[in-house]
Amino acid sequence: MTALLDVRRIYVEPEAAALSRGREVLARFPAAEIVEVESHHRIPELYGDEANVARWVRIKTEALVLGVKKSLTARPNGRSADFIAPSTANGCAMACAYCYVPRRKGYSNPVTVFANIDRITGYLRRHAARQGVKPAPDQVDPRLWVYDIGENSDCSVDATISGNVRDLVELFRDLPNAKASFATKYVNRDLLGWDPRGRTRVRFSLMPAADSKLLDIRTSPVAERIDAINDFVAAGYEVHVNLSPVVVRDGWLADWADLLEHLDDALSPEARAQLAAEVIFLTHNDRLHQVNLGWHPKAEEVLWRPELQQAKRSETGGWNVRYRNGHKGRYVADLTGLLADRLPYCRIRYAF
């Protein structure tokens, strides 16, 4: 079991415990205390309790939730993917300071595994069949419908807990018109034996080492992620990179230049031939800012920069902050120009 997890307590919906995937997860952690809950959404000691800020990482390490995904929808996307697939997990054992999930769930977001994987894969098979042939190439993919299978979690970590991710990789391997996609900050080499046959796109998230050390808490080192790219390509995955989130600070562009040089030096010809990038600048949030001040205030020195950022009311009533109009356009142009210069073979799928 990954060192990220030392599961001591599993909160379980009875319906999930009755399913074969639920029984598999429970058997994987035989020493864990089992706490029955009515709903994976409503667990007061995990969600919404401000006191949990002080136990942020401990909760992520020791708690696991096992539930059933009730609502199954594939939402249109158009950026990273054509559709966002129904989640097979929610939350994460890692603790990136900029993650949007905790501001939605409230102070703690340990992994929730959904046990009704058969229902989810069946839904996706039918949804993909309804789409038919993709009518025209686009920036998502020239030929196939792409489904993001990891919007609310990190699939590489999820795969250490249950067989859900492998089931999805094997599902898309056999679909004639679709592929899976997920972003990750964790190198799980068990995935190398799954034979995806080009039908799963892994997007390794990268940022300069100085930023990662401060912000990417409990993730695989950036150098390890870069070193894994060639092996994943050789194993049959399509591998892209997410340059994300891009944090503007003193010396930021020079550090990105160093990162791109490292990436260029590391890549095999096969990896270069299929490489593409997403470039995503930081979006932060006033509520997450307040949470972070309780457990990781050093991160907020670079994430919360009112002199560089502007606010926009979020759908949930808070304020999202992004780099100011005009300035951000210059930042994007600087980084995409650097990418075109240092990695001319790397297509930029989108940048914002």
Side-chain angles (χ1 to χ4, degrees), residues 208-255:
D211 290 330
S212 182
K213 185 176 181 180
L214 178 65
L215 305 174
D216 274 354
I217 311 303
R218 311 186 85 222
T219 63
S220 296
V222 169
E224 184 179 345
R225 301 177 215 171
I226 291 175
D227 290 345
I229 291 175
N230 293 341
D231 292 337
F232 273 75
V233 171
Y237 291 91
E238 180 182 37
V239 181
H240 290 183
V241 291
N242 279 12
L243 308 184
S244 165
V246 180
V247 176
V248 175
R249 54 168 176 75
D250 290 344
W252 71 279
L253 199 59
D255 284 351

Side-chain angles (χ1 to χ4, degrees), residues 190-211:
D190 289 346
L191 276 62
L192 295 175
W194 290 1
D195 189 25
R197 301 176 196 166
R199 292 309 184 92
T200 294
R201 174 186 294 165
V202 178
R203 299 163 2 245
F204 280 105
S205 295
L206 306 178
M207 62 170 60
D211 290 330

Side-chain angles (χ1 to χ4, degrees), residues 42-230:
R42 295 188 296 275
I43 306 175
E45 59 260 47
L46 294 186
Y47 309 138
D49 184 352
E50 189 171 344
N52 282 336
V53 170
R55 301 168 56 238
W56 192 265
V57 172
R58 182 175 177 182
I59 289 174
K60 285 174 168 291
T61 303
E62 297 182 355
L64 182 66
V65 183
L66 187 59
V68 170
K69 180 76 173 175
K70 302 295 196 298
S71 176
L72 302 185
T73 59
R75 303 190 335 265
N77 179 252
R79 269 198 174 133
S80 283
D82 295 297
F83 300 101
I84 305 298
S87 298
T88 58
N90 187 296
C92 190
M94 298 182 287
C96 300
Y98 46 80
C99 180
Y100 71 91
V101 177
R103 76 175 183 245
R104 291 185 175 181
K105 294 181 75 172
Y107 297 105
S108 176
N109 63 325
V111 177
T112 296
V113 175
F114 296 122
N116 54 329
I117 182 63
D118 292 343
R119 185 163 175 251
I120 295 170
T121 55
Y123 170 86
L124 285 169
R125 186 180 292 106
R126 293 188 297 274
H127 188 277
R130 288 196 299 271
Q131 307 314 307
V133 176
K134 194 170 193 177
D138 58 22
Q139 68 83 16
V140 175
D141 193 83
R143 192 170 63 88
L144 300 173
W145 299 107
V146 178
Y147 289 75
D148 193 316
I149 62 171
E151 183 190 38
N152 294 315
S153 64
D154 190 302
C155 289
S156 298
V157 177
D158 298 342
T160 70
I161 302 170
S162 83
N164 283 357
V165 180
R166 183 164 189 166
D167 286 350
L168 290 170
V169 170
E170 292 178 351
L171 167 73
F172 282 94
R173 180 177 66 195
D174 297 326
L175 294 182
N177 64 336
K179 69 170 59 168
S181 178
F182 64 89
T184 185
K185 304 180 187 74
Y186 184 74
V187 177
N188 180 352
R189 291 184 171 272
D190 289 346
L191 276 62
L192 295 175
W194 290 1
D195 189 25
R197 301 176 196 166
R199 292 309 184 92
T200 294
R201 174 186 294 165
V202 178
R203 299 163 2 245
F204 280 105
S205 295
L206 306 178
M207 62 170 60
D211 290 330
S212 182
K213 185 176 181 180
L214 178 65
L215 305 174
D216 274 354
I217 311 303
R218 311 186 85 222
T219 63
S220 296
V222 169
E224 184 179 345
R225 301 177 215 171
I226 291 175
D227 290 345
I229 291 175
N230 293 341

Side-chain angles (χ1 to χ4, degrees), residues 11-41:
Y11 299 87
V12 184
E13 290 180 349
E15 185 180 351
L19 296 171
S20 60
R21 183 52 41 86
R23 294 194 298 271
E24 170 196 302
V25 172
L26 292 173
R28 191 167 294 198
F29 304 97
E33 175 189 1
I34 306 302
V35 180
E36 187 172 302
V37 295
E38 290 186 9
S39 170
H40 65 87
H41 287 298

